[in-house]
Amino acid sequence: QKQDRKRLTLEGASDLLDDLERAYSDPWFVRRVDKLIKDVRFDSRAFMSHLSAVALDVQRPILEKWGFEAGPDGLAEMRAALQDFTRGSGADGPLRAKAEAV
């Protein structure tokens, strides 16, 4: 784990999750996910293997807004920054619930 990775404040983590929730609720994204489900004929393994590419399209602007690299490495760094508040003994209960809902 990189020690120099980007970190968030608790409020920033909450705001970032709000941005992700809005993006995942966007009708354009929902239609793309629905199409992917049909394209893979409801095969959950195939769906999961293709979902990350579809999701990255809506995650990219959010990654850039929050100062993360707009790609898989930035996504991993964003997840790590969120996990500072959502995992382990010091996790914030309400934020963990919010992250699970998103």
Side-chain angles (χ1 to χ4, degrees), residues 36-37 40-52:
L36 176 60
I37 291 168
V40 299
R41 294 184 168 87
F42 302 93
D43 178 326
S44 60
R45 275 195 185 155
F47 175 77
M48 292 309 292
S49 71
H50 291 88
L51 181 60
S52 60

Side-chain angles (χ1 to χ4, degrees), residues 7-68:
R7 298 193 182 270
L8 299 166
T9 64
L10 180 62
E11 184 178 344
S14 181
D15 290 348
L16 189 150
L17 287 170
D18 288 341
D19 287 347
L20 288 171
E21 185 173 31
R22 273 191 295 279
Y24 297 152
S25 301
D26 183 276
W28 175 83
F29 178 70
V30 172
R31 283 193 302 273
R32 290 206 52 206
V33 171
D34 288 346
K35 181 182 181 313
L36 176 60
I37 291 168
K38 292 174 188 151
D39 289 350
V40 299
R41 294 184 168 87
F42 302 93
D43 178 326
S44 60
R45 275 195 185 155
F47 175 77
M48 292 309 292
S49 71
H50 291 88
L51 181 60
S52 60
V54 171
L56 190 57
D57 286 344
V58 296
Q59 293 163 339
R60 189 172 280 117
I62 295 165
L63 290 168
E64 291 172 345
K65 173 185 174 182
W66 286 92
F68 296 100

